[in-house]
Amino acid sequence: MADIVFQPTFVHKEFVDGPDGDRVRADEPNGFNARFGAIESDLRQLSTVVGQIDTALDRRGTGPAGHVLTLAPLLLWAEGDPLAWRITASGAATASGDDVFYGLMEVALPDNALLTSFRAMGQVDNNGEGLGISLSRVKIPGGTPEVLASVGGDTGPFDRSTDVDPTMAVTQTATYRYIIQAAFRSGGGTTVTLAAFQIAYTSS
């Protein structure tokens, strides 16, 4: 976009009092008509510039806005499934012991938003295998979860991000529920801690 510039043209020339000073005149270069005409021209130009600024601001507000939704991993246990993740006082989710752990949580997303990426952060003590975290949608009133994005973690701190499947990236909250699932098969005293999930999206 070109620069928006206001360049005034009116320059005030002082009147002089006294016998040899200026006389009040309507015409001539220093007359009132010329002076007020220059001021009027500047005001018209200023009005045009204000309109250009307003249009530029409106255009900036019509594009899609980027958002990042950060979620504490408040994973719920489903009856009949493997062991539940334990939620700590800080809101993190942990799993440890020689067993299989599973949890899920609902995610409230705006309708008609474009999901762009899914991110999971946490810590794996010792050598952890079989950790899977996914963002999915489930058709209402019920159905098999469709995975939109999934990440895993291994030894030490992890911070994994992946793109959302573009074929299912636009949210349809009247048709689908959105959930995050986390599963881990522990062995050898491994402990996994999930710190946070993030979902990046754009909306109008």
Side-chain angles (χ1 to χ4, degrees), residues 45-126:
Q45 184 187 168
L46 181 59
S47 176
T48 300
V49 170
V50 170
Q52 292 172 338
I53 293 172
D54 182 62
T55 300
L57 291 175
D58 287 344
R59 287 175 179 170
R60 288 188 62 184
T62 56
H67 306 274
V68 175
L69 178 63
T70 301
L71 302 163
L74 302 178
L75 300 167
L76 301 176
W77 174 70
E79 185 177 359
D81 283 320
L83 295 179
W85 292 77
R86 184 173 62 88
I87 307 301
T88 69
S90 67
T94 65
S96 62
D98 191 5
D99 215 317
V100 177
F101 296 82
Y102 174 80
L104 65 84
M105 59 184 286
E106 295 275 352
V107 181
L109 292 168
D111 188 45
N112 203 37
L114 178 64
L115 305 180
T116 55
S117 66
F118 175 59
R119 179 184 181 191
M121 294 157 279
Q123 170 82 34
V124 178
D125 296 330
N126 298 324

Side-chain angles (χ1 to χ4, degrees), residues 21-201:
D22 295 302
R23 290 182 297 172
V24 176
R25 293 181 178 274
D27 296 322
E28 300 182 354
N30 199 36
F32 278 102
N33 287 343
R35 288 185 175 229
F36 285 122
I39 294 172
E40 183 182 24
S41 175
D42 281 352
L43 290 175
R44 287 200 190 99
Q45 184 187 168
L46 181 59
S47 176
T48 300
V49 170
V50 170
Q52 292 172 338
I53 293 172
D54 182 62
T55 300
L57 291 175
D58 287 344
R59 287 175 179 170
R60 288 188 62 184
T62 56
H67 306 274
V68 175
L69 178 63
T70 301
L71 302 163
L74 302 178
L75 300 167
L76 301 176
W77 174 70
E79 185 177 359
D81 283 320
L83 295 179
W85 292 77
R86 184 173 62 88
I87 307 301
T88 69
S90 67
T94 65
S96 62
D98 191 5
D99 215 317
V100 177
F101 296 82
Y102 174 80
L104 65 84
M105 59 184 286
E106 295 275 352
V107 181
L109 292 168
D111 188 45
N112 203 37
L114 178 64
L115 305 180
T116 55
S117 66
F118 175 59
R119 179 184 181 191
M121 294 157 279
Q123 170 82 34
V124 178
D125 296 330
N126 298 324
N127 185 26
E129 296 181 357
L131 172 61
I133 308 162
S134 62
L135 171 66
S136 302
R137 69 181 187 181
V138 181
K139 197 163 188 177
I140 300 170
T144 303
E146 301 175 79
V147 177
L148 308 182
S150 62
V151 297
D154 45 27
T155 303
F158 66 89
D159 185 344
R160 302 290 173 81
S161 181
T162 188
D163 293 338
V164 172
D165 184 339
T167 64
M168 299 182 285
V170 178
T171 58
Q172 303 173 53
T173 57
T175 306
Y176 295 96
R177 294 165 41 239
Y178 292 84
I179 62 173
I180 293 174
Q181 302 174 88
F184 175 61
R185 182 179 296 276
S186 177
T190 302
T191 298
V192 173
T193 301
L194 302 179
F197 305 131
Q198 284 188 341
I199 300 171
Y201 66 92

Side-chain angles (χ1 to χ4, degrees), residues 5-27:
V5 179
F6 170 61
Q7 183 62 52
T9 60
F10 176 71
V11 179
H12 177 63
K13 181 181 178 182
E14 296 287 341
F15 288 109
V16 178
D17 292 327
D20 298 325
D22 295 302
R23 290 182 297 172
V24 176
R25 293 181 178 274
D27 296 322

